[in-house]
Structures are given as C-alpha cells and as structure tokens.
C-alpha cells in the first residue's frame, strides 16, 4: 500500500492500541453479537476505558480533545476486524457532534461525559416510516408547552435503537411544512413517552441493533433543544458530510479486509492441480481490486484531511460516500466469487461481509440521493 501520509506517529500508536484492544474485546465476540443481533454494553464500556469514545470532543466534556483522524482509525480498524457492528460512526461522529456543536451547556455537561465512558450510547433519529430520503417531510411533531416541548410521532431504522440511552431527534415545530420548521432535540431514552419498538430483522449488519422508536406525549425541556428552533435542517446539512465520510471510511476498510481474506483463500484453495490464485482470471480480478483499493485509500485520506481542515464540502462528502460504498459492494461480490460455493456458506466470513455491504448504499442517504447532491454542485 502507498504510504498514508495523513497519519503521524501518535496516530500509529493509537491504531496499535485499538488493534490490541480488539484482539481481546472484539474479535472473540463478533459471532456472538451476530447471533444476538446486538453488541454487548460491556464492549462499549471497554471502549470507554480504552479512550476510544469521543476522540475529537473537548476534554472538558470527557472527550479526548484529539482530531477526527483518531475517529477514522477506529472506523478503519473496526471494519478491518471484519465487523461494522459497533456503530461508532453514529455515537462518536454524529450524536456527540450534534450535542457538542449545538447543545446547551447543561446538555453537554450531562451527556458527553457519559457517552465518553460508554455509560450512555447514542442514536440519531431522523428517518420515519413515511420518509427517509425526503427529510423535509418528517411528521414527528414537537408542540411548544410551558418549559419545553411535547413530542408525538415515530422513527424507524434507528441504529443503536435498542442499546441507546440518548437520542438526537428531528421533529417539526408548528404547522409549516418544509425545512424551516424542523428542530433537533436531545432526549434520554428512559423518559416517559419514549418507547423502543422491535429490533428489526435485517439482511446483514446483524450485530448492529436497528429499531423502531415511538414518542407519545414525550416531554422535552427547552434546554434540550439543540441550537435554535427551526434551524434543525441547517444543522443536519452541516453535520451530514462527517456522517457520510464515516461511512466511506468503513467501506474502504471493509473492502480491504474482503480483499485480504480472498487473497489468503485463493492461495490455499486448489483446483485443476494448482492454486486458484494461479488462474489468470483470479490474478486479474485481484489486480483490479488492488488498484481500486490503492486509489481509494489516497482519495479517502484526501477527504479525511479536508474534513480535519474544515474544507470538505457537501458534494465532496456525498461523492466519497457514493464511491466507497459502491466500491465495497463490488469488491465483496468479486471476492465472494473467488470463494466458489464456500463463499455462500455462513461459516465463511466472506458471506457475512457480502451481506453487510449492501446497506452502505442505502443508509446515510442512498446512492441516488448522493448523485442528486453531487449534481447540484455542477
Ligand atoms: C440498517 C439501517 C440503519 C439505519 N440507521 C439509521 C439511523 O440511525 N438513523 C436514521 O435516521 N436513519 C437510519 N436509516 C435510514 C436510512 O437513512 C434510510 O433508509 C435511507 O435514507 C433511505 O430512506 P427510505 O428507506 O425511506 O427510502 P425512500 O426515501 O423511500 O427511497 C426509496 C427509493 O427511492 C429513491 N429516491 C428517493 N428520493 C429520490 C430522489 N430525489 N431521486 C432519486 N431517487 C430517489 C431512493 O434512492 C430509493 O432507491 C437506516 C437504514 C437502515 C437500513
């Protein structure tokens, strides 16, 4: 692999500590989490103990006060370990950032230190049964009352929905339709009127819990409004590039992992008296993937650096999410083919990687929505 020049010695040391921690606390449990459909809370606690939660949140709120590259290393190492179960992208890169960037002092003091230790797990609640892509048309309503708001509505497809302790919720205030009535709220998931529904039975990414949530006369105090009333959509547009880059990072690393295990397999597997690797087709398929991975890492690093410099635009983040998620799906499919029939058998990791990949073109905005966003910048 070409040298990745964005990372310093401090980043390399952090990566090694994440790898050591994963060997102990993650790898032995991946299959268990897959079966149970959820990552254990003990793992989140262990991540907190090892300084892996809220890397780029200021130390005064319990974070590590580092840069986003540390978040990126966690995402990469998780995917390289063969799982996307622990939804660090949601917890570290999205929920903590909404609270840190737009929360009142009281909300920051309450939730961020708990999120940093793993005592509280975060969820982001935008999508609803009636709308996902068209976020301007959400129906969850926040009615102003004395001292705050009362929320009614429901959300679906919420990552960490079952495990979550704190949720950032998008809701509409007032009767206006469209973006200018959308506000964001922070809410503890144990509040009266906040109900967790069923854990959704997914095609892949099974160790990541995904749930429906229901709000019935859920009271939210004024201090839990994020930023200003009616500006929620603006905040979402500002934060979505980081969410999309997080997905792109996971996708690139997962594609690399699929390639790595495919190379090992074809060098072992024999057919027609030689290793499967020795067929020209196999070598060309792998050469093609290797080339795409090389280009992909360099592109990804340019995007990570741009984000750290606060220069990654909405369309560039959308392009990264589009390209790396499509790459991941193509790579896992090509790699599965090299496994032959075993690629379709659950015992083989490539089968899970293939199932896990598909959602990446859907969540965080579909590939079609990414193209729409990119085209607006042309
Ligand atoms: C496993 C999983 C986890 C998720 N986690 C979260 C989460 O934590 N929080 C959260 O809020 N959401 C989450 N989502 C929801 C996800 O972001 C949405 O599913 C996604 O944005 C698409 O919305 P939708 O499902 O309503 O599809 P729809 O919006 O109904 O889209 C259906 C189809 O129409 C296409 N389409 C829609 N609009 C356009 C357009 N303008 N131009 C062209 N084509 C268009 C779409 O691309 C898609 O192909 C998750 C989803 C899944 C599956």
């Amino acid at each position: 692999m070409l040298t990745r020049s964005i990372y310093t010695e401090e980043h390399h040391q952090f990566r090694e500590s994440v790898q050591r921690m994963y060997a102990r606390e993650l790898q032995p449990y991946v299959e268990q989490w897959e079966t149970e459909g959820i990552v254990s809370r003990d793992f989140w606690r262990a991540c907190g103990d090892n300084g892996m939660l809220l890397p780029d949140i200021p130390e005064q709120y319990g974070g590590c006060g580092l840069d986003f590259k540390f978040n990126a290393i966690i995402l990469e190492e998780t995917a390289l370990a063969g799982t996307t179960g622990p939804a660090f992208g949601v917890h570290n890169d999205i929920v903590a950032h909404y609270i840190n960037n737009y929360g009142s002092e009281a909300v920051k003091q309450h939730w961020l230190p708990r999120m940093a230790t793993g005592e509280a797990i975060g969820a982001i609640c935008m999508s609803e049964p009636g709308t996902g892509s068209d976020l301007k048309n959400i129906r969850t309503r926040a009615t102003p009352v004395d001292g705050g708001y009362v929320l009614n509505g429901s959300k679906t497809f919420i990552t960490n929905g079952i495990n979550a302790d704190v949720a950032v919720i998008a809701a509409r205030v007032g009767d206006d339709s469209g973006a200018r009535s959308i506000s964001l709220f922070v809410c503890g998931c144990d509040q009266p009127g906040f109900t967790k529904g069923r854990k959704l039975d997914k095609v892949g990414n099974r160790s990541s819990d995904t749930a429906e949530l229901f709000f019935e006369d859920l009271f939210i105090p004024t201090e839990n409004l994020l930023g200003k009333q009616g500006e929620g959509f603006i905040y979402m547009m500002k934060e979505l590039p980081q969410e999309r880059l997080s997905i792109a990072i996971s996708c690139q690393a997962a594609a690399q992992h699929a390639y790595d295990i495919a190379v090992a397999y074809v060098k072992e597997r024999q057919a027609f008296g030689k290793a499967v690797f020795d067929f020209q087709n196999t070598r060309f398929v792998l050469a093609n993937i290797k080339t795409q991975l090389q280009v992909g890492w360099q592109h990804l690093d340019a995007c990570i650096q741009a984000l750290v410099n606060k220069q990654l635009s909405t369309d560039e983040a959308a392009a990264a999410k589009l390209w790396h998620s499509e790459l991941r799906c193509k790579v896992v499919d090509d790699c599965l083919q090299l496994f032959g029939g075993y690629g379709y058998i659950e015992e083989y990791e490539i089968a899970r990687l293939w199932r896990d990949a598909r959602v990446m073109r859907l969540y965080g905005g579909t590939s079609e929505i990414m193209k729409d966003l990119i085209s607006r910048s042309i």
Side-chain angles (χ1 to χ4, degrees):
M1 193 192 287
L2 290 174
T3 306
R4 301 186 64 195
S5 54
I6 62 165
Y7 291 123
T8 63
E9 188 49 37
E10 199 188 347
H11 293 117
H12 292 313
Q13 284 172 10
F14 180 72
R15 186 185 293 280
E16 283 166 16
S17 78
V18 172
Q19 287 168 347
R20 282 194 299 274
M21 189 271 187
Y22 277 5
R24 286 191 319 270
E25 310 277 356
L26 180 140
Q27 269 153 355
Y29 301 103
V30 169
E31 288 306 325
Q32 181 190 328
W33 299 339
E34 280 288 306
T35 310
E36 293 174 355
I38 197 159
V39 172
S40 82
R41 294 188 69 93
D42 291 345
F43 176 72
W44 284 94
R45 288 278 200 171
C47 291
D49 292 345
N50 284 273
M52 288 171 51
L53 300 179
L54 276 49
D56 62 346
I57 295 296
E59 286 173 284
Q60 69 187 107
Y61 300 118
C64 306
L66 300 166
D67 63 33
F68 179 78
K69 292 176 192 173
F70 290 85
N71 301 43
I73 288 168
I74 293 167
L75 294 166
E76 286 176 19
E77 288 304 320
T78 311
L80 288 167
T83 178
T84 30
F88 291 121
V90 170
H91 183 88
N92 284 343
D93 307 336
I94 305 175
V95 178
H97 277 256
Y98 275 113
I99 295 176
N100 186 55
N101 293 343
Y102 310 107
S104 64
E105 192 55 28
V107 162
K108 290 200 238 191
Q109 294 282 0
H110 182 79
W111 284 115
L112 293 175
R114 288 172 172 79
M115 289 178 71
T117 58
E119 181 190 337
I121 299 171
I124 178 82
C125 310
M126 297 183 187
S127 303
E128 301 187 350
T131 187
S133 303
D134 186 10
L135 285 176
K136 286 181 189 153
N137 277 318
I138 56 168
R139 293 221 179 128
T140 296
R141 187 166 290 276
T143 308
V145 294
D146 261 0
Y149 300 82
V150 168
L151 258 68
N152 282 285
S154 64
K155 299 287 174 181
T156 193
F157 302 135
I158 304 305
T159 301
N160 290 341
I162 300 293
N163 255 341
D165 304 284
V166 56
V168 169
I169 305 170
R172 181 178 299 291
V173 183
D175 293 326
D176 286 352
S177 59
R180 291 178 68 181
S181 61
I182 293 173
S183 297
L184 297 177
F185 301 89
V186 178
C187 183
C189 303
D190 58 353
Q191 295 302 300
F194 190 120
T195 308
K196 294 177 178 178
R198 68 197 164 105
K199 177 151 62 68
L200 300 173
D201 187 10
K202 304 193 298 296
V203 169
N205 236 10
R206 289 189 186 150
S207 53
S208 166
D209 67 292
T210 309
E212 297 173 310
L213 301 174
F214 302 95
F215 317 126
E216 198 179 344
D217 294 334
L218 169 66
F219 176 72
I220 299 199
T222 307
E223 68 183 19
N224 284 27
L225 171 71
L226 285 179
K228 294 191 181 135
Q229 184 181 305
E231 294 201 353
F233 200 76
I234 297 169
Y235 305 150
M236 277 150 67
M237 292 306 109
K238 281 191 184 157
E239 296 299 320
L240 278 167
Q242 177 151 322
E243 172 176 0
R244 290 178 178 146
L245 182 60
S246 298
I247 296 171
I249 295 167
S250 290
C251 287
Q252 174 71 23
Q256 179 73 51
H257 180 60
Y259 166 83
D260 291 343
I261 63 171
V263 169
Y265 181 81
V266 296
K267 286 188 173 177
E268 278 292 312
R269 177 77 176 167
Q270 299 283 314
F272 295 92
K274 56 183 179 178
V276 169
F277 178 70
D278 290 329
F279 296 114
Q280 190 188 47
N281 176 68
T282 308
R283 298 165 75 94
F284 280 13
V285 167
L286 291 172
N288 193 32
I289 296 174
K290 188 175 180 188
T291 306
Q292 289 175 312
L293 289 172
Q294 177 177 315
V295 174
W297 283 116
Q298 295 300 309
H299 172 256
L300 192 74
D301 286 354
C303 290
I304 293 170
Q305 190 61 55
L307 186 93
V308 169
N309 296 347
K310 301 194 187 323
Q311 288 170 342
L312 187 71
S313 66
T314 303
D315 58 287
E316 287 162 349
K321 199 260 168 185
L322 173 68
W323 194 84
H324 291 276
S325 60
E326 302 272 348
L327 173 77
R328 175 173 176 175
C329 287
K330 178 80 174 85
V331 166
V332 293
D333 196 62
D334 287 352
C335 288
L336 185 148
Q337 190 70 17
L338 295 178
F339 278 74
Y342 290 109
Y344 205 63
I345 302 299
E346 282 288 330
E347 268 166 58
Y348 283 75
E349 191 185 0
I350 192 67
R352 177 159 53 75
L353 297 181
W354 184 74
R355 284 195 278 103
D356 288 354
R358 190 60 182 85
V359 75
M360 303 293 154
R361 287 156 60 196
L362 298 170
Y363 69 14
T366 63
S367 288
E368 292 73 33
I369 294 298
M370 294 308 103
K371 288 178 191 168
D372 189 49
L373 283 169
I374 298 159
S375 70
R376 285 185 215 175
S377 70
I378 298 172

